[in-house]
Amino acid sequence: GQQLNQSPQSMFIQEGEDVSMNCTSSSIFNTWLWYKQEPGEGPVLLIALYKAGELTSNGRLTAQFGITRKDSFLNISASIPSDVGIYFCAGQRTSGTYKYIFGTGTRLKVLA
Amino acid sequence: DTEVTQTPKHLVMGMTNKKSLKCEQHMGHRAMYWYKQKAKKPPELMFVYSYEKLSINESVPSRFSPECPNSSLLNLHLHALQPEDSALYLCASSQDPTSDEQFFGPGTRLTVL
């Protein structure tokens, strides 16, 4: 199936550092979701974005809906060991069609 | 109750077996989904149920048969699977067909021998 380009593919960072990752597409999207998935578990919804330019925070996480509607960004500030996991973006082209296209994932490892 | 539950957590089956995966949510959500996720890959949509009716089948082989007995339950019946069907099977739900936020269960890790 179709996938969104997500970068970086993986990151190794020190505890306390800030993290940035992004998701890009050649197509316009109406909705962006960001999920975190830990080993053996299902994805957990972190942030939902609905409007171009929208900036939304959830604790130490901040996500932005790109102005062009073709990209989205996720930042994690002051990372902690429990931030470890795979972060997926998911984009929906047409609202209410149930179908999300998932990004390839960013694997984050935090070194204490 | 704000979660999606799935049983079993792990399942090992032979290629001639028949088994079922179960998903349940009590959030009053009216859209439910099955996804398949291979290792180190993103989830891939298989089926969507909207108000207990199948609305999307992403060209899934007939050896996978979904069922939605009521608004809280979603089953995935498995028969004559192949080893390449081994994966994490995820169930998700959303409030209604127009809601954009999908909430996932923990998944069933399926191994086909």
Side-chain angles (χ1 to χ4, degrees):
Chain A
Q2 185 177 0
Q3 295 176 352
L4 294 169
N5 295 320
Q6 199 170 334
S7 66
Q9 187 174 11
S10 62
M11 304 179 72
F12 291 79
I13 62 169
Q14 292 287 339
E15 183 178 0
E17 288 184 1
D18 296 343
V19 174
S20 292
M21 61 189 77
N22 66 73
C23 198
T24 60
S25 170
S26 57
S27 302
I28 290 174
F29 286 84
N30 287 334
T31 304
W32 289 96
L33 304 179
W34 282 94
Y35 287 92
K36 176 189 177 187
Q37 186 174 24
E38 298 185 30
E41 299 294 329
V44 174
L45 183 63
L46 300 173
I47 293 178
L49 301 162
Y50 299 102
K51 295 180 182 178
E54 179 181 356
L55 190 69
T56 298
S57 294
N58 178 6
R60 294 177 297 104
L61 279 61
T62 301
Q64 184 165 22
F65 195 138
I67 291 291
T68 65
R69 295 170 63 193
K70 294 182 179 180
D71 53 15
S72 181
F73 309 89
L74 177 69
N75 295 315
I76 305 173
S77 63
S79 58
I80 59 178
S82 61
D83 290 333
V84 165
I86 302 177
Y87 291 79
F88 288 106
C89 63
Q92 186 185 62
R93 285 212 192 91
T94 305
S95 299
T97 58
Y98 326 120
K99 294 182 67 170
Y100 277 91
I101 300 170
F102 278 79
T104 47
T106 294
R107 188 178 300 269
L108 178 65
K109 293 194 176 181
V110 180
L111 307 175
Chain B
D1 191 346
T2 58
E3 64 175 2
V4 177
T5 60
Q6 289 186 245
T7 56
K9 190 167 179 61
H10 300 276
L11 179 62
V12 179
M13 60 186 291
M15 289 189 285
T16 59
N17 292 157
K18 285 185 180 180
K19 296 287 184 183
S20 297
L21 309 185
K22 296 186 184 300
C23 174
E24 190 167 4
Q25 57 86 15
H26 294 288
M27 296 179 279
H29 288 180
R30 302 310 299 271
M32 297 184 76
Y33 313 78
W34 280 115
Y35 285 83
K36 174 182 177 181
Q37 186 179 27
K38 301 286 276 186
K40 298 184 180 180
K41 295 291 186 182
E44 292 186 5
L45 183 65
M46 300 174 71
F47 302 105
V48 179
Y49 271 83
S50 172
Y51 291 95
E52 296 98 69
K53 293 193 187 318
L54 182 65
S55 60
I56 294 178
N57 176 341
E58 290 287 289
S59 302
V60 179
S62 60
R63 57 185 184 269
F64 295 91
S65 175
E67 178 197 19
C68 190
N70 60 56
S71 61
S72 299
L73 293 173
L74 186 66
N75 298 321
L76 186 63
H77 302 297
L78 314 172
H79 174 54
L81 294 194
Q82 303 297 310
E84 58 265 28
D85 295 323
S86 299
L88 181 68
Y89 287 85
L90 294 162
C91 174
S93 70
S94 64
Q95 187 170 8
D96 57 44
T98 62
S99 174
D100 296 312
E101 298 181 14
Q102 294 184 15
F103 298 89
F104 283 84
T108 293
R109 174 71 61 191
L110 174 67
T111 302
V112 182
L113 301 177

